Amino acid sequence: MKVLIVHAHPEPHSFTAAMRDAAVEVLQAEGHAVRVSDLYAKGFDPVAKAADFPSRQNPDYLVYALEQRHAWDSGTLPDDIRNELDLVLWADLLILSFPMYWFSVPAMLKGWIDRVLLSGPTYGGKRFYDRGGLVGKKGLLAFTLGARPHMFGERAIHGPLDDMLRPLLRGTLYYVGMEVLAPFAAYHVPYLNDAARGSILDAYRAYLRQLEALQPLRFPRLEDFDDRLYPRD
């Protein structure tokens, strides 16, 4: 299997980086081909902007998704977007590696999603969910956060973790057609000692060793809806 880890943490020695390194070690040992895109290290520009399109379909009014599609069709994508997209298209499994910021991803990773998962090759029209452009690939979130596990759940202070992750699990990975694996969360990381952190890394290694056997999360399929996307009776 070909695995792409998109890593977004500003500190090279962070625990998130340790998780990334553990993933590379384990996956390579299991015989997988692994590539890492470290967004901060490479200085990736996360800002979606008109300058992303040197040859505009409509120079008078920017519709970002439409210009993405035009740039893809005309072969005029900027190198930084094209290089990242090539990695995504190469991979069988995409792992997003990040610290949780404000119930979401860092701006660096959000910008990568906005600029790289572009209209055309990854989605467009009714090419989304189980008909998205990246059908056949898998996606996984591996992230750190400061909260404890008991803070998530139906009656917990933060509510269900899946609700927090919905824009990523369903609105990003599944939207472009990927089979979405259960996320791996490293809880309470800033406050743990080295032994506790080591236990988390061991659990993550064990999780990655069983990737092939994991069942994807269940989401609606387009066949359950009519041509106007109303639910079928």
Side-chain angles (χ1 to χ4, degrees):
M1 183 165 57
K2 295 173 290 187
V3 183
L4 170 63
I5 302 174
V6 176
H7 178 73
H9 198 298
E11 172 51 58
H13 303 292
S14 66
F15 185 76
T16 310
M19 288 178 58
R20 173 204 63 202
D21 294 344
V24 172
E25 174 192 352
V26 168
L27 292 169
Q28 288 182 338
E30 292 287 306
H32 304 298
V34 183
R35 296 181 183 177
V36 175
S37 181
D38 187 330
L39 301 184
Y40 283 95
K42 66 174 51 174
F44 181 78
D45 181 0
V47 180
K49 53 193 177 300
D52 288 342
F53 311 109
S55 177
R56 291 272 293 274
Q57 183 178 41
N58 184 349
D60 299 320
Y61 188 89
L62 176 65
V63 179
Y64 197 82
L66 295 181
E67 294 298 343
Q68 284 182 320
R69 193 173 307 182
H70 173 69
W72 168 255
D73 290 339
S74 61
T76 58
L77 284 171
D79 287 344
D80 63 337
I81 297 176
R82 179 75 228 197
N83 292 340
E84 295 297 312
L85 179 60
D86 285 345
L87 289 172
V88 172
L89 297 177
W90 166 84
D92 301 309
L93 169 65
L94 170 66
I95 299 177
L96 299 183
S97 166
F98 62 95
M100 183 70 71
Y101 285 177
W102 293 103
F103 285 27
S104 187
V105 296
M108 175 67 83
L109 182 52
K110 180 57 168 67
W112 182 91
I113 291 169
D114 292 345
R115 297 184 71 220
V116 175
L117 299 184
L118 66 156
S119 179
T122 74
Y123 76 95
K126 290 184 179 178
R127 293 174 57 250
F128 63 95
Y129 288 167
D130 57 308
R131 299 179 190 173
L134 302 185
V135 165
K137 300 180 183 294
K138 297 179 180 180
L140 166 66
L141 306 179
F143 59 94
T144 58
L145 66 168
R148 297 176 183 270
H150 74 268
M151 297 178 181
F152 299 94
E154 288 296 337
R155 299 182 60 228
I157 186 67
H158 295 317
L161 182 61
D162 284 351
D163 288 355
M164 184 185 301
L165 299 177
R166 180 186 175 103
L168 295 169
L169 297 175
R170 181 169 175 171
T172 303
L173 298 179
Y174 185 59
Y175 194 87
V176 296
M178 294 183 178
E179 293 184 349
V180 184
L181 304 180
F184 185 92
Y187 293 96
H188 207 50
V189 165
Y191 313 103
L192 299 178
N193 60 29
D194 289 345
R197 291 183 175 204
S199 295
I200 292 175
L201 290 177
D202 287 342
Y204 187 39
R205 293 185 182 101
Y207 177 87
L208 292 171
R209 290 190 184 102
Q210 60 176 344
L211 276 179
E212 304 280 6
L214 294 176
Q215 294 299 309
L217 302 178
R218 295 178 63 88
F219 293 106
R221 300 175 63 84
L222 288 191
E223 66 186 17
D224 299 327
F225 299 83
D226 65 21
D227 289 341
R228 296 182 299 162
L229 299 179
Y230 283 99
R232 297 187 189 276
D233 294 334

